[in-house]
Amino acid sequence: MPDQALPDPPLRVLVADDNPVVRAGLAALLSARPGIDVVAEAADGGQALALSARHRPDVVLLDVRMPGTDGLTALPELARRSLVMMLTYSREPDVVAEALRRGASGYLVHGEFTAAELITAVRELRRGRPTVSPAVASPSGPVLSSLGVSYEPNETTSQLQPVVSESSTAGAARAGSLRRRAAGWLDFGLSSREVEVMDLIASGMNNRQIAAACFISEKTVKNHINRIFAKLHSSSRSEAIAHWLGTAREGWSG
């Protein structure tokens, strides 16, 4: 019998962010996915360095601005041990360029990606496929060339698709990605955000965790859930999950 390829070992991730809600949300989001282990959480760059030395993660998700030792200061040493994805609100060109110069393998800006896209970006990083947000990348800019990749928004096989897209077409690109990856989802009439929230509900997250993972308020989460329940003709979480897993996954392809 031919040898069967062994599955990849679990992807070990360290999350470094000074905001405890964001940190907890990211950890919950990542831990809920198969093949990903959050091995440590850090509140600043100093903790990230110490925990990185102890746990040797494959990927570090690193905020830029943190009290004490900030992300850029900790970045060079972290990048010598692990792949580092900057995950931050900072989109200033000088900050982005400095992060890449110091060894970052990717750069994502909060609000420029969905939870599913973040998971994909983290997994793709281990395969040598960096991801950057549209807020800090352009086809002719220096960011992509410094990462050694090209920007091809019209090619579905682009290394940066679906996270990198022109802001004017981001919604269409995201909807196209969702159709390709789960064609049955749209039969419910859910928006792309409602799809994201429903998938997080099905993964077992509570409203607070969903709010942190999506970077929205708990009130907004509740509003999304009310609309989701109406569209799925459900009156409870368990009933909605049953509808979701029973029908939505029929179109699953990735």
Side-chain angles (χ1 to χ4, degrees), residues 5-27:
L6 295 175
D8 290 333
L11 187 65
R12 296 163 53 80
V13 179
L14 185 155
V15 177
D17 195 296
D18 64 308
N19 186 320
V21 175
V22 172
R23 195 168 63 245
L26 288 171

Side-chain angles (χ1 to χ4, degrees), residues 136-165:
V136 299
S138 67
S140 58
V143 174
L144 300 187
S145 60
S146 68
L147 286 171
V149 297
S150 61
Y151 177 93
E152 301 291 346
N154 294 322
E155 294 186 10
T156 57
T157 56
S158 168
Q159 291 178 337
L160 301 179
Q161 198 277 340
V163 177
V164 171
S165 58

Side-chain angles (χ1 to χ4, degrees), residues 2-245:
D3 292 336
Q4 293 184 345
L6 295 175
D8 290 333
L11 187 65
R12 296 163 53 80
V13 179
L14 185 155
V15 177
D17 195 296
D18 64 308
N19 186 320
V21 175
V22 172
R23 195 168 63 245
L26 288 171
L29 171 65
L30 293 164
S31 298
R33 294 306 194 271
I36 299 179
D37 290 339
V38 176
V39 296
E41 300 175 39
D44 57 44
Q47 286 186 11
L49 288 169
L51 291 170
S52 172
R54 182 185 310 166
H55 295 283
R56 297 289 174 172
D58 301 303
V59 173
V60 176
L61 298 183
L62 183 65
D63 192 12
V64 169
R65 295 189 173 94
M66 295 181 287
T69 303
D70 63 32
L72 289 180
T73 301
L75 178 54
E77 187 173 344
L78 288 172
R80 284 192 289 270
R81 302 172 184 161
S82 310
L83 296 166
V84 179
M85 171 77 77
M86 307 307 295
L87 191 59
T88 177
Y89 288 99
S90 302
R91 61 179 69 190
E92 296 89 341
D94 290 348
V95 173
V96 177
E98 186 64 16
L100 298 176
R101 188 185 71 81
R102 295 188 182 200
S105 297
Y107 199 108
L108 293 181
V109 177
H110 290 309
E112 295 286 341
F113 55 86
T114 67
E117 289 168 343
L118 174 61
I119 297 298
T120 297
V122 170
R123 287 175 170 158
E124 291 296 281
L125 205 61
R126 180 159 69 175
R127 300 185 177 98
R129 299 170 183 170
T131 304
V132 294
S133 289
V136 299
S138 67
S140 58
V143 174
L144 300 187
S145 60
S146 68
L147 286 171
V149 297
S150 61
Y151 177 93
E152 301 291 346
N154 294 322
E155 294 186 10
T156 57
T157 56
S158 168
Q159 291 178 337
L160 301 179
Q161 198 277 340
V163 177
V164 171
S165 58
E166 295 291 350
S167 58
S168 62
T169 60
R174 182 167 297 161
S177 174
L178 288 170
R179 287 189 186 95
R180 286 190 298 274
R181 293 167 53 199
W185 292 6
L186 295 183
D187 292 341
F188 293 115
L190 270 61
S191 69
S192 58
R193 177 62 95 179
E194 289 164 354
V195 166
E196 181 181 11
V197 170
M198 187 59 231
D199 212 30
L200 296 177
I201 291 173
S203 74
M205 285 192 184
N206 59 35
N207 288 5
R208 180 182 60 80
Q209 292 170 327
I210 294 171
C214 297
F215 308 102
I216 56 179
S217 68
E218 286 192 55
K219 181 179 179 181
T220 301
V221 171
K222 292 177 182 177
N223 290 338
H224 283 311
I225 290 175
N226 288 336
R227 289 193 290 269
I228 289 169
F229 281 7
K231 292 178 180 180
L232 268 61
H233 305 289
S234 303
S235 58
S236 67
R237 261 177 153 80
S238 59
E239 189 177 354
I241 291 171
H243 284 302
W244 187 244
L245 298 180

